[in-house]
Amino acid sequence: MAEPILVVDNLTKNFGGLAAVSEVSFQVHPKEIVGLIGPNGAGKTTLFNVISGYFAPSRGKILFQGKNISGKPPYVLAGRGIGRTFQVVKPFPGLSVLENVVIASFLRHPKRARAEEHAWKVLEFTELADKAHQSAASLTLAGRKRLEIGKALALDPTFLLLDEVVAGLNPTEVDHTIDLILKLRDRGITILIVEHIMRVIMRISDRLVVLNFGQKIAEGPPGEVARDPGVVEAYLGGGEA
Amino acid sequence: MKDRRLLGYLFVFAATLLVPAVVHDTFLLRVFTEAVMWIGLAVTFDVLAGYTGYLNFGHSAFFGIGAYTTAILMVRAGWHFAPAAVLGGAAAGIGALIAGFPTLRLRGAYFAIATWALARAIQQLVLIMDVTGGPDGMRLPAFLSPRFFYYVMLGLVGITFFAYWFLLERAPFGLKLKAVREDEQGAKALGLNPTKLKMQAFILSAVPTGIIGGVFAYWVTFIDPASTLGDLVSDQALVMVVFGGMGTLVGPVVGAILIFAFKTAFWAYLSDYEVLYIIILGAVIAGSVVFLPNGVLGVLPQRGRRNGPSPEEKGPGAVLPETEGGNSHG
């Protein structure tokens, strides 16, 4: 197998006395889609924030393309090829959809005209081109989630962290977004995705990593993980369902 | 479309070059010079307030630092005016660099309070120092040429305006600043370094303000802590920007002209009621925030896309084609 693109090695993130993520290790290989699942509060978003540079790890390290990136700020990681979306979408509401994507395009295309050209391509790809001149605030939730993906995509990332890009969408929009994610993979982008909707995560993931109370409790192909007694207990046994 | 705007700006600028040819009255030319100065202070204030989202209540500090640096170099060191004023701008820029490190981490009201406090601290410092003349202020060598100062002020503010136009409306820098204004955390994920961008904006705002302060000092020939470092400089710039339209280049220009015209008329006829002026300023800002969230510019029909909040939200008037002349003249 090829060199892993991302290595999470014994990663711990403490907030005060609370270990939100505790000694988690896993790897992601190029062109894989890896699903990160777990009950609410399992530490998925914290793990995302550490990998994308928003939090520095308390212990352990993260290697991206063989280089240690632990504690590097998000804007440096964006330059290295890591794109991310936010669970609570972060469009720039006062700016147009096009401007939102142009800003992300500046990373690879510092000239404004080239950045706009690039942004239009991204908008075509994410099917937002007809809304380009609307303000980002006027988009529907589905539109805002697509814009979120579009902005991450405009960075020309090699690795994409998707945080609940499907949650809150209706079934048609869900299928639409799944198609979009699969298209990204076909473009050669490696994806780590957090998602609560099992139908989605089971369908698109090559492998799953399961977290509970900040610890990794299972890892493997979706079919296998779904039958894992520890995972079933985490989801059903804790009184959560 | 953008080039048509630029042509409009250049046309207005060219027209202002002719003012001294028409206006021979010295007092009136002074009024025009001061109007241009306030346009400069409002536009520089808006780089931070409108584009970056930081209300700088210490704007007067940059103005004062520029004025005092120029005065000290000219009076105590015998420098020529031009290099002294340039160094005044540099000193303001260095001031921004130093003040920016702690304050630009703060947001909203905290930043406003911190910058206000810093400006007060500088004012107190100037009051107790010998080199600044303390509360007695400083008297500069008099150069009595109203035309000279009109053109210097106009040239300075004109260069600032067109440099800003290029950087904020044309180059990627303006959009990047707006991204930081809208969502700092989100901007980081897109490869932007908010601290660096904010610092650049702060310096970009401070340097011309310092030079304007230097020109002001030489022009009025006498400066003291109250006239150059007082609250009124920051407060008036803020009112002009909010009233005219924050986050645009033309808004502060329009706001500065309207507020300054009002101020001049007020001092001419109602100077006995000084307190009233402050009250009116306060009322104008409160009224603008409530009734004119996008300033006077916001109520003019235009293709709002470029100026932030979408036209869709403003009802049918917004779909009318924009009127170029209306923007330029206010």
Side-chain angles (χ1 to χ4, degrees):
Chain A
M1 204 161 205
E3 278 278 292
I5 188 167
L6 182 84
V7 179
V8 174
D9 184 15
N10 220 8
L11 194 78
T12 298
K13 176 66 193 172
N14 296 321
F15 292 111
L18 177 85
V21 173
S22 174
E23 294 173 355
V24 169
S25 300
F26 65 93
Q27 301 184 345
V28 179
H29 295 276
K31 295 181 190 177
E32 253 190 327
I33 297 183
V34 173
L36 186 61
I37 63 169
N40 287 330
K44 305 181 295 287
T45 293
T46 302
L47 185 57
F48 256 46
N49 283 335
V50 176
I51 296 174
S52 58
Y54 279 84
F55 300 148
S58 306
R59 275 193 306 283
K61 63 184 176 196
I62 307 155
L63 302 179
F64 180 69
Q65 293 174 328
K67 291 194 186 97
N68 190 349
I69 56 161
S70 323
K72 292 246 188 301
Y75 44 86
V76 169
L77 297 184
R80 297 269 180 96
I82 299 181
R84 73 162 292 179
T85 68
F86 291 87
Q87 183 182 355
V88 180
V89 289
K90 291 186 179 297
F92 305 124
L95 305 180
S96 73
V97 171
L98 176 65
E99 284 170 327
N100 264 269
V101 180
V102 167
I103 288 164
S105 303
F106 285 143
L107 181 68
R108 306 287 178 215
H109 307 277
K111 288 248 160 59
R112 182 139 184 178
R114 296 298 309 280
E116 269 186 38
E117 241 170 71
H118 184 254
W120 277 110
K121 277 185 215 150
V122 171
L123 290 177
E124 295 288 344
F125 187 76
T126 50
E127 293 169 36
L128 283 166
D130 54 328
K131 301 186 176 65
H133 293 299
Q134 287 183 18
S135 86
S138 72
L139 291 178
T140 59
L141 178 67
R144 268 179 276 158
K145 294 224 164 185
R146 263 215 306 284
L147 175 59
E148 191 76 6
I149 297 176
K151 282 159 74 177
L153 204 55
L155 304 169
D156 287 342
T158 44
F159 183 62
L160 205 50
L161 295 143
L162 300 175
D163 196 353
E164 301 210 14
V165 286
V166 179
L169 303 185
N170 70 36
T172 326
E173 292 161 350
V174 168
D175 288 337
H176 211 78
T177 306
I178 292 177
D179 288 343
L180 184 62
I181 295 171
L182 294 175
K183 265 201 281 180
L184 294 178
R185 197 254 309 268
D186 295 341
R187 280 183 150 201
I189 299 174
T190 311
I191 294 169
L192 181 64
I193 179 169
V194 163
E195 194 52 72
H196 269 302
I197 304 172
M198 284 303 142
R199 178 169 81 83
V200 174
I201 205 95
M202 289 294 173
R203 201 170 119 198
I204 63 173
S205 305
D206 299 311
R207 277 191 308 128
L208 290 181
V209 171
V210 191
L211 292 186
N212 194 24
F213 296 115
Q215 287 172 323
K216 186 174 88 173
I217 57 168
E219 181 180 354
E224 234 170 72
V225 165
R227 284 189 299 275
D228 187 292
V231 174
V232 174
E233 200 199 307
Y235 269 89
L236 303 175
E240 181 118 31
Chain B
M1 177 194 89
K2 284 173 184 169
D3 292 330
R4 243 178 56 219
R5 265 173 196 265
L6 181 61
L7 278 179
Y9 301 155
L10 285 168
F11 178 76
V12 173
F13 182 69
T16 53
L17 283 173
L18 299 176
V19 166
V22 187
V23 179
H24 295 292
D25 181 54
T26 319
F27 171 74
L28 211 55
L29 200 55
R30 274 187 84 98
V31 170
F32 273 101
T33 309
E34 201 181 339
V36 173
M37 181 182 94
W38 281 106
I39 290 173
L41 292 175
V43 172
T44 49
F45 185 88
D46 192 41
V47 176
L48 216 60
Y51 285 85
T52 323
Y54 280 86
L55 286 184
N56 176 11
F57 276 88
H59 202 54
S60 61
F62 299 142
F63 183 75
I65 288 173
Y68 269 98
T69 306
T70 306
I72 290 167
L73 287 174
M74 288 181 74
V75 175
R76 315 253 186 257
W79 282 40
H80 192 269
F81 159 66
V86 169
L87 218 73
I94 292 166
L97 192 68
I98 296 167
F101 271 111
T103 57
L104 285 171
R105 293 164 194 276
L106 306 168
R107 281 230 75 114
Y110 300 102
F111 177 80
I113 293 165
T115 48
W116 179 83
L118 262 176
R120 292 293 71 73
I122 291 171
Q123 191 179 1
Q124 291 306 313
L125 200 66
V126 169
L127 272 171
I128 57 165
M129 287 201 302
D130 286 333
V131 71
T132 58
D136 298 333
M138 292 182 79
R139 192 163 293 284
L140 286 87
F143 181 62
L144 303 172
S145 167
R147 269 186 188 214
F148 171 79
F149 286 108
Y150 178 78
Y151 280 121
V152 168
M153 202 64 99
L154 187 68
L156 174 59
V157 172
I159 289 168
T160 304
F161 182 90
F162 288 106
Y164 280 2
W165 175 83
F166 179 77
L167 282 170
L168 300 173
E169 295 294 327
R170 253 301 168 79
F173 185 64
L175 261 188
K176 288 180 181 175
L177 285 187
K178 285 181 181 172
V180 171
R181 176 191 73 193
E182 298 284 314
D183 189 329
E184 207 171 315
Q185 295 306 319
K188 276 190 200 168
L190 304 184
L192 304 182
N193 180 346
T195 313
K196 192 172 137 196
L197 285 165
K198 287 187 289 188
M199 191 62 91
Q200 287 168 338
F202 207 27
I203 293 170
L204 192 66
S205 164
V207 171
T209 308
I211 305 177
I212 292 172
V215 176
F216 172 80
Y218 192 34
W219 175 42
V220 301
T221 72
F222 174 73
I223 55 169
D224 65 5
S227 68
T228 57
L229 286 158
D231 283 329
L232 204 62
V233 176
S234 311
D235 295 350
Q236 245 170 203
L238 169 77
V239 177
M240 287 165 175
V241 169
V242 172
F243 185 63
M246 244 196 227
T248 65
L249 266 181
V250 182
V253 177
V254 174
I257 292 170
L258 294 178
I259 299 283
F260 184 74
F262 164 74
K263 182 192 172 190
T264 309
F266 184 92
W267 287 116
Y269 299 109
L270 292 164
S271 53
D272 292 343
Y273 307 96
E274 200 183 328
V275 182
L276 201 60
Y277 178 68
I278 307 288
I279 294 172
I280 292 172
L281 267 195
V284 167
I285 194 157
S288 305
V289 169
V290 176
F291 300 110
L292 302 170
N294 297 316
V296 204
L297 269 201
V299 295
L300 294 176
Q302 58 179 286
R303 227 177 337 211
R305 183 177 80 78
R306 307 191 61 245
N307 296 332
S310 69
E312 291 93 328
E313 293 155 11
K314 287 190 231 128
V319 295
L320 292 171
E322 69 186 326
T323 46
E324 213 66 59
N327 283 356
S328 313
H329 299 300

